[in-house]
Amino acid sequence: MVRTEAQIANIARGGYVLADASGTPAVVLIATGSEIELAMKAREALQAGGIATRVVSMPCTDRFDRQDQAYKDSVLMPTVHKVAIEAGVTDGWYKYVGLRGAVIGLNRFGESAPAGQLFKEFGFTTENVVATVKKVLASNPQTDLFEGDRT
């Protein structure tokens, strides 16, 4: 994926807006590495369905956490629902998605199969990301968000 000069500069900040919503975002998808392609495909499907979606690439949570609050808020938007996609342990992502968000990830080991088959088995599909976003939005109306969810 081609990135702008500003995006390239913001990689050093640990997290940045990779693709913004058309309009005010209803949801922020957070991903890194191999999950970026999935987040982008889900964004496309969500936007086609009328759900404005921002994708945040977060290659280094440690660096992102050291940024000032204004920058973190500009990227993650504290009053917007969040879904993180992590093909690994989910624990560290809850501080970004809050109590009203969701994390699509793995919390177990020992599976062996071709990557495409495992991704489908564990819910790393466009369809599952879209369904998860819709579930989060339906169960947590935007008006229920509060500052306490801020990272």
Side-chain angles (χ1 to χ4, degrees):
M1 166 166 231
V2 177
R3 287 166 175 78
T4 67
E5 287 186 32
Q7 288 172 321
I8 291 169
N10 285 334
I11 289 171
R13 298 183 91 171
Y16 62 97
V17 177
L18 179 62
D20 216 347
S22 53
T24 302
V27 67
V28 175
L29 297 178
I30 309 167
T32 186
S34 62
E35 299 87 352
I36 290 291
E37 182 180 359
L38 175 56
M40 293 299 289
K41 288 180 179 177
R43 175 186 176 269
E44 185 178 313
L46 288 161
Q47 295 225 145
I51 300 173
T53 305
R54 171 182 278 192
V55 173
V56 168
S57 175
M58 195 172 300
C60 185
T61 57
D62 290 338
R63 281 193 176 190
F64 185 77
D65 291 346
R66 289 192 303 261
Q67 302 307 308
D68 61 75
Q69 193 63 49
Y71 179 76
K72 292 189 287 187
D73 288 350
S74 75
V75 172
L76 292 181
M77 304 178 75
T79 61
V80 175
H81 295 295
K82 290 163 218 39
V83 173
I85 307 165
E86 171 60 55
V89 178
T90 61
D91 291 349
W93 293 101
Y94 286 99
K95 69 180 175 181
Y96 303 110
V97 303
L99 298 174
R100 292 172 173 81
V103 180
I104 299 168
L106 298 173
N107 288 312
R108 66 179 195 255
F109 298 94
E111 305 294 331
S112 179
Q117 184 179 343
L118 287 175
F119 266 46
K120 185 176 180 181
E121 175 70 25
F122 293 127
F124 294 101
T125 64
T126 301
E127 296 78 16
N128 185 51
V129 174
V130 168
T132 300
V133 166
K134 288 180 177 180
K135 182 178 177 182
V136 165
L137 294 175
S139 62
N140 300 298
Q142 203 76 17
T143 56
D144 285 349
L145 291 176
F146 62 94
E147 281 295 307
D149 281 348
R150 190 163 88 181
T151 308

